[in-house]
């Protein structure tokens, strides 16, 4: 296996973006912050600290960051036993593995959350490794998560494709020098994904699987 397929998870393989929107919104509300849900949606995909900074700004009380992250984690954790995989997500990973690609996940999730996501995908036999929040100093849109995934896959950037659903994913992949594929199932418009670096855009994992032969993953 000298080729790699690197995947974001939230919003790309598992239908969780709007759960993150609601639970982050509630965490902010509990702390006295009025943050519109549409703004939270656009920030999903960033690591917790970066998401808080993006939404509240540099002038915020940074002592609140840990409490906000903990509140979101607790609220989101209520859904761990019923996170829904997106259509054909596991089948797509198994197909790529069978076709000779090393499949690696690059996600800001870790610990119990990552375990819940992997259970939802139900394709552990096809996943060669995971670059999680615990493995990098900086999350997306920094290239480190994708670069770490390439290290785990044992391939260079020219032999890899990164699939994600947010502009943060596309920017991270572009900075890492890999070809990027965007999915619309996370709720981000096609034009935004393309502007951020997506070479091709598909509706969801099922659409990518159906059109795999003509995709950058072929």
């Amino acid at each position: 296996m000298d080729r790699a397929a690197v995947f974001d998870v939230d919003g790309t393989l598992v239908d969780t973006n709007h759960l993150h929107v609601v639970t982050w919104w509630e965490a902010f509300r509990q702390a006295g912050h009025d943050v519109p849900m549409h703004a939270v949606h656009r920030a999903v995909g960033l690591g917790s600290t970066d998401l808080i900074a993006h939404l509240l700004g540099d002038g915020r009380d940074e002592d609140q960051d840990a409490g906000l992250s903990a509140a979101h984690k607790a609220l989101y954790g209520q859904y761990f036993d019923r996170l829904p995989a997106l259509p054909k997500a596991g089948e797509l990973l198994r197909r790529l593995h069978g076709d000779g690609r090393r499949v690696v996940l690059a996600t800001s999730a870790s610990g119990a959350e990552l375990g819940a996501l992997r259970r939802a995908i139900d394709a552990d036999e096809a996943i060669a490794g995971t670059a999680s929040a615990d493995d990098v100093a900086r999350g997306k849109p920094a290239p480190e998560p994708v670069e770490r995934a390439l290290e785990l896959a044992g391939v260079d950037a020219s032999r890899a494709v990164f699939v994600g659903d947010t502009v943060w994913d596309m920017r991270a992949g572009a900075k890492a020098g890999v070809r990027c594929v965007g999915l619309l199932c996370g709720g981000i418009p096609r034009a935004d994904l393309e502007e951020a670096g997506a070479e091709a855009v598909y509706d969801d994992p099922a659409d990518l699987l159906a059109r795999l032969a003509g995709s950058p993953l072929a």
Side-chain angles (χ1 to χ4, degrees), residues 67-86:
L68 285 165
S69 294
H72 164 258
K73 184 175 182 179
L75 290 161
Y76 181 64
Q78 300 175 79
Y79 299 99
F80 280 0
D81 62 349
R82 55 193 188 278
L83 298 179
L86 283 153

Side-chain angles (χ1 to χ4, degrees), residues 28-44:
F28 284 123
R29 189 197 67 80
Q30 291 178 2
H33 300 289
D34 182 14
V35 181
M37 287 194 188
H38 70 84
V40 178
H41 182 214
R42 303 287 293 191
V44 168

Side-chain angles (χ1 to χ4, degrees), residues 168-207:
W168 318 115
D169 292 326
M170 299 302 101
R171 290 175 184 173
K175 289 174 184 175
V178 301
R179 300 171 74 185
C180 296
V181 169
L183 299 185
L184 298 173
C185 43
I188 301 302
R190 178 185 300 270
D192 290 7
L193 295 173
E194 291 175 339
E195 183 180 355
E199 177 180 335
V201 179
Y202 300 87
D203 290 340
D204 56 18
D207 184 36

Side-chain angles (χ1 to χ4, degrees), residues 126-139:
I127 299 170
T130 301
S132 74
D134 296 330
D135 302 316
V136 297
R138 297 184 61 199

Side-chain angles (χ1 to χ4, degrees), residues 8 14 21 43 47 60 91 94 104 114 135 171 178 187 200 203 218:
D8 170 62
V14 187
V21 171
R60 71 192 188 283
E91 186 175 337
R94 288 189 289 270
V104 181
L114 178 57
D135 302 316
R171 290 175 184 173
V178 301
D203 290 340

Side-chain angles (χ1 to χ4, degrees), residues 89-174:
E91 186 175 337
L92 173 61
L93 300 194
R94 288 189 289 270
R95 168 69 180 277
L96 291 168
H97 173 74
D99 287 348
R101 282 196 180 267
R102 192 174 294 273
V103 176
V104 181
L105 307 180
T107 175
S108 59
S110 62
E113 179 182 350
L114 178 57
L117 292 165
R118 291 187 63 146
R119 288 193 297 275
I121 299 165
D122 192 24
D124 276 355
E125 71 276 14
I127 299 170
T130 301
S132 74
D134 296 330
D135 302 316
V136 297
R138 297 184 61 199
K140 306 164 195 170
E144 288 182 45
V146 180
E147 292 169 345
R148 176 59 180 151
L150 295 178
E151 292 175 3
L152 293 172
V155 303
D156 62 35
S158 67
R159 303 292 292 171
V161 176
F162 179 45
V163 183
D165 69 297
T166 69
V167 296
W168 318 115
D169 292 326
M170 299 302 101
R171 290 175 184 173

